Amino acid sequence: MAIVALGVVYGDIGTSPLYTMQTFLTGQGGINNVDREAVLGMLSLVFWSITLITTVKYVLIAMRIDNNGEGGIFALYSLIRRHGAWLAIPAMLGGAAFLADSVLTPAVSISSAVEGLQTLPPLEQVFDDNPSLTLMITVVIIVILFSVQSRGTESIGRVFGSIVLIWFTFLAVVGLGNLNNDWSVFAALNPVYGVRFLFSPHNAAGIAVMGTVFLATTGAEALYSDMGHVGRGNIYFTWPFIKIALVCNYFGQGAWMLAHRDDAAYTKMATLNPFFQMMHPNVRYVAVALSVAAGVIASQALITGAFTMVSEATRLNWMPHLQVRYPARTRGQLYIPVINGVLCAATLAVLAIFKDSEHISAAYGLALTITMITTTVLLAVYIWYAGRRFGAVAFTVVFLAIQIMFFLASMAKFLHGGWFTLLLTCAILFVMYTWDQGTRLERAQRRHMRPDDFLPALDKLHGDFRIPYFADNIVYLTSDAETKRLDTDIFFSIFADHPKRARAWWAVSVETTDEPFTREYTVESFGTNFIYRVRMRLGFKVSQSLPAYIHQIMHDLSKTGELPKQKSIYPKVDADPDIGTIRYVLIHKALMPESKVSSRGALSLQAKYAIRRMAGSPVKWFGLAPYNPLVEVQPLFVSTRRPPRLKRVDEPVAVRAGFAGGAAGAAGVAGASAAAGLRVGGTDIAHADPAAIPDPMDTTAGLSRLVQELDAAMSEQDAEAEQNASKSMLHGTPKNVSRSAAKSAL
């Protein structure tokens, strides 16, 4: 697992030496414009940024704050959300920025590595003649990378882990080889060099140099988000080796720059990359091969982190439920096909827009600074409520100061590509916000029924043998977690149009828990053997393929006698003869044009429904496709704006005279009723406020009384039928009135 941890977690931070110093030289105007003060200042800033951000903040502090072994900004938010609704804002923003960064990481890491092929003497002419060749190679590698994600990160991590071990060993050896020329660069371990250079006139980039320094810390957030994939202990075990290798390589590049800053051959280079140039040309072949592999592995770290983030966002109702697969036995492995496809398409779009790593790096890092800032805020809240108030204040001041400086420096890249990162972040944030608001609005309009209201009607339908069975079991999926009541949507679905009679009706809700591997359920039967309210509690990393769980629950209740025996003599898809046929029903809501809802609420609902259509059907989310589920659409019963009442006007006498008897009589009766002031339920319709008139579609109160009145009316009809039959027998007339006739008449 330590090898897997190397392959899954450290790819992103391991590719930083490929482009960090290259970006530094570009910002300073070339190698001839850097002196010893600049090089030592840059090395000092890099070393202390890695130490404070990666080692202290993430490895030593953040990774100790986990949600049952899971890390990442959403797992952290789950631990503290009870302390304030406002915490959802930094959590959403940070999660959206992390997902945006997951798109840019494969593009910048792989393209920068592939561009190393241009430094190989035999291939220089080939790439000069074919400028787009590096882009084509990068596209092929990215497509292959995303196509193997379905195999799971366990198998990928074992292969990648061995390569990463070799890669970091190579980084350390190459760096130490160049340090033989000048060991004095280790003076940069003194933070004074970094602070002095930041405000020095020798710093041509000014505060923007911090945006370059930040590139050395990319991948730190991936350590936290991927903790659930590989385990905290494996990261603790491997991080010291990783940091030593990085420091050796960065300081080796610094020594090389000091040794060659007056070399005319390098001052004339359009794009100088110290990482490749400090190696012997024969070693460079190995470096290019390993760097390409490391770029692929860096992409893997962000892809697996994105899967975890989306899974946790779904649990928080910030994203639609997506089909999740669990391709490996290792704890925490998951694969989301839709997200994999979206990331692949977005990464290819980045390559199409920016073409090469130099332009991509202008957009890279800006989103990640946002994620780091929001993570700092949430960590500070956790530490504060854990009782360490002074520690929370010190943590907030130190790390917010550093990361806000990173953000301001990265904003200098806005017009050079940072706009794309922020645009992508805003798009993801829009999905999260509208989904959350739409869900809240739907839940606010939900109406429920008490057992006294729905049981008499269901009992009568259950025993009405005139209506054939729709299915032995009808299973409704609902988001309502309350087991002591019934959603009116389900009730109306059962009785709408042709009533859906069944041996048993099931209302099933699935609650995704904060714990990753929970598997529990509760059942409420309301004292009957035909209506069951089931609530499942599944961990956010547990498969939500419901048919298997439904069959288990039915078998459990059948064994205890709570569910009458069901035998199926005909073949079924589930091949379970001990359980009768099952029909799944899903109810979707639709917003009515006259619904009384704000413009923002209407936008959230419309956006949510559009996202749901694009994200895929719940039929796939819950594994119901083989069972031919029924999907119904019902109006969203928020309060409605009643249209103005119609005004009756009399037709001209000549026209009215053309109609005969019945119509005139009906008009007269209607006119008399209007003149008399028709009353409904004690309300004078002629003078009532339209909004005060009860809407029969917006209430279920009195259903029990209605059923009792129907029973009483039927009993009276039965008694009358018996009397008529007796009279007929006395007068010698055939008995032609029966109970069925009475029922039909009723």
Side-chain angles (χ1 to χ4, degrees):
M1 283 305 300
I3 297 296
V4 173
L6 288 173
V8 172
V9 174
Y10 295 114
D12 192 12
I13 200 169
T15 56
S16 296
L18 288 173
Y19 45 78
T20 299
M21 289 304 178
Q22 177 188 14
T23 307
F24 164 67
L25 290 181
T26 301
Q28 298 298 318
I31 192 172
N32 56 315
N33 292 325
V34 298
D35 55 11
R36 183 176 181 82
E37 181 181 349
V39 171
L40 293 183
M42 179 64 182
L43 292 177
S44 180
L45 291 173
V46 167
F47 173 80
W48 285 105
S49 294
I50 294 176
T51 300
L52 292 174
I53 300 299
T54 309
T55 303
V56 177
K57 176 187 172 183
Y58 283 100
V59 176
L60 297 181
I61 297 177
M63 290 180 60
R64 294 179 181 273
I65 304 172
D66 65 283
N67 185 4
N68 294 283
E70 295 300 320
I73 191 168
F74 289 155
L76 175 60
Y77 169 73
S78 298
L79 295 173
I80 62 173
R81 58 180 174 177
R82 65 182 182 276
H83 297 307
W86 67 272
L87 294 170
I89 298 174
M92 279 188 183
L93 182 59
F98 181 88
L99 292 175
D101 188 68
S102 300
V103 172
L104 271 73
T105 296
V108 70
S109 299
I110 296 177
S111 62
S112 62
V114 171
E115 287 165 7
L117 294 171
Q118 300 174 359
T119 67
L120 303 179
L123 299 178
E124 287 181 359
Q125 188 62 40
V126 176
F127 283 96
D128 288 340
D129 296 338
N130 301 275
S132 62
L133 184 58
T134 55
L135 180 62
M136 295 171 60
I137 295 173
T138 303
V139 168
V140 171
I141 293 174
I142 285 176
V143 170
I144 293 174
L145 172 65
F146 281 101
S147 66
V148 300
Q149 291 301 312
S150 59
R151 297 175 60 88
T153 54
E154 180 180 20
S155 57
I156 294 174
R158 288 176 179 172
V159 176
F160 285 177
S162 302
I163 298 174
V164 169
L165 180 61
I166 298 172
W167 169 249
F168 277 100
T169 303
F170 178 80
L171 291 179
V173 170
V174 170
L176 290 172
N178 283 272
L179 281 170
N180 285 329
N181 299 325
D182 189 1
W183 287 90
S184 66
V185 293
F186 277 101
L189 296 178
N190 185 346
V192 173
Y193 284 94
V195 176
R196 185 186 301 162
F197 171 67
L198 187 60
F199 301 102
S200 169
H202 295 278
N203 177 15
I207 192 66
V209 75
M210 292 301 292
T212 301
V213 173
F214 178 75
L215 296 176
T217 66
T218 58
E221 187 74 29
L223 266 68
Y224 190 34
S225 62
D226 285 334
M227 182 171 63
H229 288 260
V230 299
R232 176 171 49 200
N234 294 301
I235 296 178
Y236 283 160
F237 179 75
T238 53
W239 172 245
F241 163 70
I242 299 298
K243 183 176 180 182
I244 291 172
L246 290 172
V247 170
C248 289
N249 191 266
Y250 281 121
F251 278 67
Q253 291 187 51
W256 181 88
M257 287 187 288
L258 289 177
H260 296 86
R261 66 189 184 91
D262 296 325
D263 194 328
Y266 296 113
T267 57
K268 296 179 181 179
M269 283 189 175
T271 302
L272 174 63
N273 191 334
F275 177 80
F276 290 108
Q277 296 297 335
M278 72 176 178
M279 305 173 195
H280 189 276
N282 293 331
V283 179
R284 209 172 292 162
Y285 291 95
V286 178
V288 171
L290 287 176
S291 63
V292 171
V296 172
I297 296 166
S299 306
Q300 181 62 51
L302 269 294
I303 293 170
T304 53
F307 290 157
T308 301
M309 296 284 279
V310 171
S311 175
E312 294 171 353
T314 300
R315 171 178 55 89
L316 295 169
N317 281 312
W318 290 350
M319 279 193 174
H321 289 273
L322 300 170
Q323 185 181 18
V324 180
R325 297 178 186 172
Y326 299 83
R329 295 170 298 171
T330 305
R331 178 183 182 273
Q333 306 298 304
L334 65 147
Y335 166 67
I336 306 177
V338 172
I339 298 301
N340 191 63
V342 170
L343 287 177
C344 181
T347 302
L348 295 178
V350 169
L351 289 172
I353 295 172
F354 295 102
K355 308 296 183 184
D356 55 44
S357 63
E358 182 179 356
H359 293 90
I360 298 173
S361 63
Y364 186 56
L366 180 57
L368 199 55
T369 59
I370 298 174
T371 303
M372 286 189 173
I373 290 172
T374 54
T375 302
T376 298
V377 172
L378 298 182
L379 286 171
V381 172
Y382 180 92
I383 297 171
W384 177 274
Y385 283 100
R388 298 186 289 272
R389 303 292 176 89
F390 178 78
V393 173
F395 176 85
T396 304
V397 171
V398 172
F399 288 102
L400 273 187
I402 296 172
Q403 290 162 0
I404 289 175
M405 189 180 300
F406 283 152
F407 175 74
L408 295 176
S410 298
M411 281 299 292
K413 305 177 180 180
F414 182 81
L415 295 178
H416 301 283
W419 61 268
F420 180 83
T421 307
L422 291 184
L423 183 65
L424 195 58
T425 300
C426 291
I428 299 171
L429 185 62
F430 175 78
V431 171
M432 291 184 181
Y433 178 79
T434 54
W435 192 270
D436 176 62
Q437 293 300 309
T439 301
R440 290 176 183 272
L441 188 56
E442 283 184 339
R443 291 183 175 179
Q445 64 80 37
R446 181 182 290 143
R447 300 293 181 266
H448 302 94
M449 300 176 63
R450 299 171 299 175
D452 290 344
D453 284 329
F454 65 79
L455 284 180
L458 289 177
D459 183 39
K460 182 164 291 295
L461 177 59
H462 181 258
D464 193 343
F465 297 100
R466 299 171 303 166
I467 301 176
Y469 283 122
F470 184 78
D472 292 323
N473 300 278
I474 302 178
V475 178
Y476 285 91
L477 300 184
T478 175
S479 58
D480 182 20
E482 177 57 55
T483 60
K484 300 296 183 182
R485 56 194 183 186
L486 186 68
D487 197 324
T488 55
D489 294 337
I490 296 175
F491 185 86
F492 287 137
S493 173
I494 293 174
F495 287 96
D497 300 327
H498 187 77
K500 299 182 182 69
R501 183 167 172 255
R503 297 182 188 276
W505 295 279
W506 305 77
V508 180
S509 62
V510 180
E511 178 186 352
T512 308
T513 65
D514 289 345
E515 295 77 23
F517 300 102
T518 304
R519 293 179 178 87
E520 300 173 351
Y521 77 90
T522 58
V523 178
E524 172 61 56
S525 64
F526 305 101
T528 72
N529 62 357
F530 56 82
I531 176 68
Y532 300 91
R533 187 67 181 80
V534 179
R535 183 177 67 174
M536 297 185 194
R537 300 183 73 251
L538 303 178
F540 64 86
K541 288 201 173 181
V542 172
S543 173
Q544 294 197 359
S545 183
L546 295 186
Y549 300 136
I550 296 294
H551 276 76
Q552 178 207 326
I553 294 171
M554 289 180 177
H555 278 286
D556 291 348
L557 297 182
S558 181
K559 290 177 182 178
T560 60
E562 297 171 80
L563 176 67
K565 296 292 183 181
Q566 298 180 357
K567 288 290 183 179
S568 179
I569 61 176
Y570 297 108
K572 298 189 304 170
V573 173
D574 54 39
D576 188 348
D578 295 326
I579 297 296
T581 57
I582 301 176
R583 191 71 188 273
Y584 293 91
V585 181
L586 288 84
I587 300 174
H588 286 176
K589 307 298 288 186
L591 189 64
M592 295 184 295
E594 57 273 359
S595 295
K596 188 184 296 183
V597 61
S598 66
S599 299
R600 187 177 67 176
L603 176 62
S604 297
L605 286 169
Q606 291 167 358
K608 176 179 179 177
Y609 298 152
I611 293 167
R612 184 172 60 192
R613 285 193 296 270
M614 291 186 291
S617 169
V619 171
K620 291 184 178 180
W621 308 343
F622 296 115
L624 305 179
Y627 301 92
N628 190 28
L630 177 64
V631 179
E632 296 183 346
V633 177
Q634 292 188 10
L636 186 67
F637 284 118
V638 295
S639 57
T640 58
R641 300 183 181 92
R642 286 184 171 275
R645 295 179 58 81
L646 295 176
K647 179 180 180 182
R648 177 175 175 174
V649 295
D650 292 332
E651 304 231 2
V653 176
V655 176
R656 192 165 58 241
F659 293 95
V669 172
S673 299
L678 183 61
R679 300 180 67 84
V680 176
T683 302
D684 187 348
I685 293 181
H687 301 92
D689 180 0
I693 302 174
D695 185 353
M697 294 296 293
D698 198 27
T699 179
T700 56
L703 283 173
S704 176
R705 177 177 53 80
L706 176 61
V707 172
Q708 293 171 359
E709 291 175 356
L710 290 174
D711 281 340
M714 185 171 288
S715 299
E716 292 178 1
Q717 292 286 346
D718 288 343
E720 184 178 350
E722 292 296 335
Q723 292 176 2
N724 292 336
S726 300
K727 292 179 180 178
S728 299
M729 291 293 292
L730 292 174
H731 293 84
T733 305
K735 181 179 180 180
N736 55 5
V737 180
S738 64
R739 178 180 176 86
S740 61
K743 289 182 179 179
S744 300
L746 179 60

